[in-house]
């Protein structure tokens, strides 16, 4: 559709909506008078109901996802409320001349109460739902539309060129294999060989060996040997060597208050500072003494 057709269509729709609003405005004004509104409030009452319908329709076109669902629900609720009030206006002729009793929209009390509640709650709902829809529209961020690629082939080639440039080492080109020529088949006579025999040399001529040139080679240096011998007195341990009896006496002193569970070879070795072999011997001796099989010397 061209631009002129769109303008004509929008103009026609606006005219139809304006005429429909004028028809609904008359019914809603009489309803407002019946529920106690003054002249100014009764004149503005149709804008509260049908105006919010228009606002919800615009919000439905702008918003998306859950916000659009909310706007559609508001639009449907106020459309249904306007339809009910227009229907009541047509059923009650007294509303046309404003001769109906104040706050009386139906003869049956429950129906009258429900209609009065509906008519009086619509302005409050317009304040709440209208403010919410305006806030949602102002804070709405449309999803950006991705721009189409002008030439997909050029884009693919650019990406492939970038990928090739990022390689640290280029891939070598495959080397074509040289064709191997097979020898031609030779007919063979099974009765008599036609191949000439190769003469066998009787003796090989001596070949003079080339002279070996002698060059000076530096002698390989041998690594220095580690000095061996007796350990000097300074490097030796200052602790005198203990006899087995001394080790046993020291072990008895250290482990006198140890429980049986703590009496291990590793614990004795760390406490007495001896070798693992001596620690195991001391452990067996001390355990035997604790069992009473050997008397402590």
């Amino acid at each position: 559709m061209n631009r002129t057709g769109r303008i004509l269509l929008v103009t026609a729709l606006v005219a139809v909506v304006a005429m429909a609003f004028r028809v609904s405005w008359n019914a809603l004004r009489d309803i407002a008078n019946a529920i106690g509104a003054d002249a100014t409030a009764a004149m503005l009452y149709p804008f509260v109901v049908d105006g919010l319908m228009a606002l919800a329709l615009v919000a439905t076109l702008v918003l998306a996802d859950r916000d659009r669902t909310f706007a559609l629900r508001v639009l449907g609720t106020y459309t249904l409320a306007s339809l009910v009030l227009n229907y009541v206006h047509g059923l009650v002729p007294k509303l046309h001349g404003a001769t109906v009793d104040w706050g009386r929209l139906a003869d049956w009390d429950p129906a009258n109460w429900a209609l009065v509640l509906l008519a009086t709650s619509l302005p409050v709902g317009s304040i709440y739902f209208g403010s919410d829809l305006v806030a949602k529209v102002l804070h709405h961020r449309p999803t950006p539309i991705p721009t189409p690629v002008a030439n997909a082939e050029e884009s693919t080639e650019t990406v492939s060129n970038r990928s090739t440039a990022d390689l640290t080492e280029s891939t070598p080109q495959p080397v074509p294999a040289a064709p191997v020529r097979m020898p031609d088949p030779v007919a063979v006579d099974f009765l008599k060989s036609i191949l000439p025999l190769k003469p066998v040399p009787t003796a090989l001529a001596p070949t003079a060996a080339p002279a070996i040139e002698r060059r000076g080679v530096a002698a390989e240096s041998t690594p220095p040997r580690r000095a061996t011998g007796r350990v000097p007195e300074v490097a030796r341990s200052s602790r005198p060597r203990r006899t087995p009896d001394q080790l046993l006496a020291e072990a008895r002193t250290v482990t006198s208050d140890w429980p049986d569970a703590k009496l291990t070879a590793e614990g004795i070795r760390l406490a007495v500072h001896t070798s693992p072999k001596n620690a195991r011997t001391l452990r067996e001796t001390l355990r035997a003494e604790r069992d009473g099989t050997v008397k402590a010397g």
Side-chain angles (χ1 to χ4, degrees), residues 149-161:
V149 181
N151 194 340
E153 295 181 358
E154 292 181 0
S155 177
T156 306
E157 183 179 358
T158 304
V159 172
S160 62
N161 291 339

Side-chain angles (χ1 to χ4, degrees), residues 33-53:
N33 286 323
I35 60 176
D38 57 6
T40 304
M43 185 177 58
L44 296 177
Y45 186 81
F47 294 96
V48 173
V49 181
D50 294 341
L52 184 63
M53 292 168 52

Side-chain angles (χ1 to χ4, degrees), residues 10-293:
V10 172
T11 304
L13 290 176
V14 171
V16 171
V17 171
M19 289 184 289
F21 175 77
R22 176 63 185 86
V23 175
S24 178
W25 180 81
N26 189 29
L28 296 178
R29 181 196 60 182
D30 293 341
I31 294 291
N33 286 323
I35 60 176
D38 57 6
T40 304
M43 185 177 58
L44 296 177
Y45 186 81
F47 294 96
V48 173
V49 181
D50 294 341
L52 184 63
M53 292 168 52
L55 176 61
L57 179 59
V58 174
T60 303
L61 300 176
V62 175
L63 300 177
D65 300 333
R66 301 175 67 179
D67 294 338
R68 175 180 292 178
T69 304
F70 174 75
L72 286 174
R73 290 177 180 176
V74 174
L75 176 61
T77 301
Y78 270 73
T79 301
L80 182 61
S82 179
L83 176 62
V84 171
L85 295 180
N86 278 271
Y87 177 70
V88 172
H89 182 265
L91 288 179
V92 183
K94 295 180 181 181
L95 292 174
H96 304 169
T99 59
V100 67
D101 295 337
W102 179 77
R104 196 72 186 176
L105 298 179
D107 294 334
W108 188 39
D109 289 340
N112 180 66
W113 296 337
L115 291 175
V116 172
L117 177 62
L118 175 64
T120 55
S121 61
L122 289 178
V124 180
S126 297
I127 297 174
Y128 173 75
F129 294 119
S131 302
D132 194 10
L133 289 176
V134 171
K136 290 180 183 298
V137 170
L138 294 179
H139 290 83
H140 177 66
R141 294 293 182 271
T143 305
I145 301 175
T147 56
V149 181
N151 194 340
E153 295 181 358
E154 292 181 0
S155 177
T156 306
E157 183 179 358
T158 304
V159 172
S160 62
N161 291 339
R162 290 180 179 177
S163 301
T164 306
D166 293 339
L167 293 177
T168 57
E169 183 179 354
S170 59
T171 305
Q173 296 293 334
V175 180
V180 180
R181 178 177 177 82
M182 301 298 294
D184 297 333
V186 179
V188 179
D189 191 358
F190 292 97
L191 299 179
K192 185 178 181 181
S193 177
I194 59 177
L195 295 176
L197 298 178
K198 185 177 180 180
V200 180
T202 55
L204 296 177
T207 304
I212 299 175
E213 182 180 359
R214 296 184 178 181
R215 296 180 180 179
V217 180
E220 297 181 357
S221 60
T222 57
R225 297 180 59 186
R226 187 176 56 180
T228 58
R230 299 183 61 182
V231 180
E233 297 295 336
V234 180
R236 293 184 181 182
S237 175
S238 59
R239 188 167 186 173
R241 185 177 182 85
R242 293 167 292 179
T243 62
D245 294 336
Q246 293 176 346
L247 285 174
L248 181 57
E250 187 176 351
R252 287 172 183 164
T253 305
V254 174
T255 61
S256 59
D257 55 346
W258 287 11
D260 294 342
K262 189 179 178 181
L263 192 62
T264 59
E266 183 64 19
I268 296 173
R269 185 185 68 82
L270 296 176
V272 184
H273 303 286
T274 185
S275 63
K277 181 178 179 181
N278 294 337
R280 288 192 294 268
T281 304
L282 294 173
R283 179 195 60 188
E284 298 299 331
T285 305
L286 294 175
R287 285 185 177 179
E289 290 179 353
R290 292 194 178 190
D291 293 340
T293 58

